[in-house]
Amino acid sequence: MEHPQPMILYSGPLSMFGAKVQIAALEKGMDFELVMVPFEMKRLYQPRHPEVARINPKQQVPVLVHGELEIFDSTQIFEYLEELQPEPPLWPSGTVAKARARLLEHQSDEVYFPPIIRLMSLQDQPQDPVAVAAREASKNYYQKMDVLLADRDHLAGPFSFADIAFYMAQLFGERMGAVMDADTPRLLAWRERISQRPAVRQVAGTMAAYLLSQNRPLPAFLAALLPVR
């Protein structure tokens, strides 16, 4: 009897992009081995995990190994998982709907998240003009997503990779001070819906537990996902 090829996902305890892939694989009910590479707050991922360094020229997680296939980049891994196991689908059906969902997933990483990266280095300087501009950019993005949710429960219609990507991105945004508020009620309701999905609770809850172990503050929505002891 032929044994299925093992699937290994290399991620890290605070990897937004690794968490995206992990949630997607769990949503699809896939069998995979999760390898959390060594991480420490001061040294981060140094020294680099040898398999991650070998496979990804950027030496970053996530990395997916499935038999002889070795790939990296969360979006590329999304596409592979969807082709490998189409059910349940995590892209909407239809060429136009799928293209719009892919654009939303891309915007989470490349439009919304860069200002959050700038906030990460300015946590002790919240009034720095760069920090103020970054929070304003985030607020503008939240308002656009709130409008998008006027006639739907999820960003691209059905639950999709677009929701997974933005949920994880805004999780880091909230931690860095780009806070959602009552100005975007539909978006707040969306976050609560996504937070209740078992795959999301598992992955985000584990991340919350790690942050707590490092004495890092947790936004209220994330603290609510801590595993029950």
Side-chain angles (χ1 to χ4, degrees):
M1 179 179 179
E2 184 178 348
H3 294 284
Q5 294 178 316
M7 181 181 290
I8 304 172
L9 172 62
Y10 293 90
S11 186
L14 290 183
S15 171
M16 180 186 91
F17 299 102
K20 286 169 53 179
V21 173
Q22 189 184 352
I23 290 170
L26 289 170
E27 287 280 353
K28 285 184 169 291
M30 292 177 140
D31 184 20
F32 64 98
E33 177 187 352
L34 177 65
V35 176
M36 282 291 185
V37 304
F39 176 85
E40 198 271 330
M41 284 290 184
K42 291 184 179 179
R43 294 187 301 155
L44 303 180
Y45 289 103
Q46 297 294 347
R48 299 288 180 174
H49 189 285
E51 281 297 274
V52 172
R54 179 182 67 80
I55 295 168
N56 186 351
K58 296 175 72 175
Q59 300 188 355
Q60 298 171 345
V61 293
V63 166
L64 186 76
V65 177
H66 190 202
E68 296 181 354
L69 177 70
E70 300 173 339
I71 58 175
F72 54 90
D73 181 84
S74 60
T75 303
Q76 302 308 312
I77 298 174
F78 275 175
E79 298 290 0
Y80 177 68
L81 298 182
E82 191 76 350
E83 291 285 337
L84 184 66
Q85 186 167 306
E87 296 295 332
L90 287 177
W91 287 128
S93 60
T95 303
V96 172
K98 194 175 295 182
R100 287 173 175 160
R102 284 179 166 135
L103 180 60
L104 285 166
E105 192 271 341
H106 178 73
Q107 287 179 163
S108 293
D109 293 352
E110 302 298 336
V111 176
Y112 169 76
F113 201 60
I116 305 305
I117 293 174
R118 291 193 285 275
L119 282 175
M120 289 179 181
S121 62
L122 294 168
Q123 288 300 284
D124 59 346
Q125 303 171 62
Q127 297 310 313
D128 184 289
V130 174
V132 173
R135 289 195 300 274
E136 186 63 26
S138 302
K139 185 175 181 65
N140 290 340
Y141 194 91
Y142 293 154
Q143 290 171 341
K144 290 178 182 178
M145 294 302 101
D146 194 75
V147 170
L148 192 65
L149 289 163
D151 62 350
R152 63 192 70 177
D153 286 340
H154 301 99
L155 296 178
F159 176 76
S160 72
F161 289 122
D163 296 290
I164 297 172
F166 185 51
Y167 182 89
M168 287 310 307
Q170 65 80 36
L171 185 155
F172 278 78
E174 190 89 8
R175 289 185 56 232
M176 295 300 121
V179 178
M180 290 183 192
D181 58 27
D183 288 343
T184 53
R186 289 182 289 255
L187 191 58
L188 288 173
W190 165 87
R191 182 168 68 186
E192 180 60 24
R193 281 193 295 276
I194 304 302
S195 292
Q196 296 310 311
R197 298 185 72 90
V200 174
R201 289 189 68 89
Q202 178 178 331
V203 176
T206 299
M207 187 175 287
Y210 179 81
L211 287 164
L212 192 64
S213 75
Q214 300 297 310
N215 298 314
R216 298 297 173 112
L218 297 177
F221 86 91
L222 187 56
L225 302 182
L226 284 166
V228 178
R229 296 183 179 180

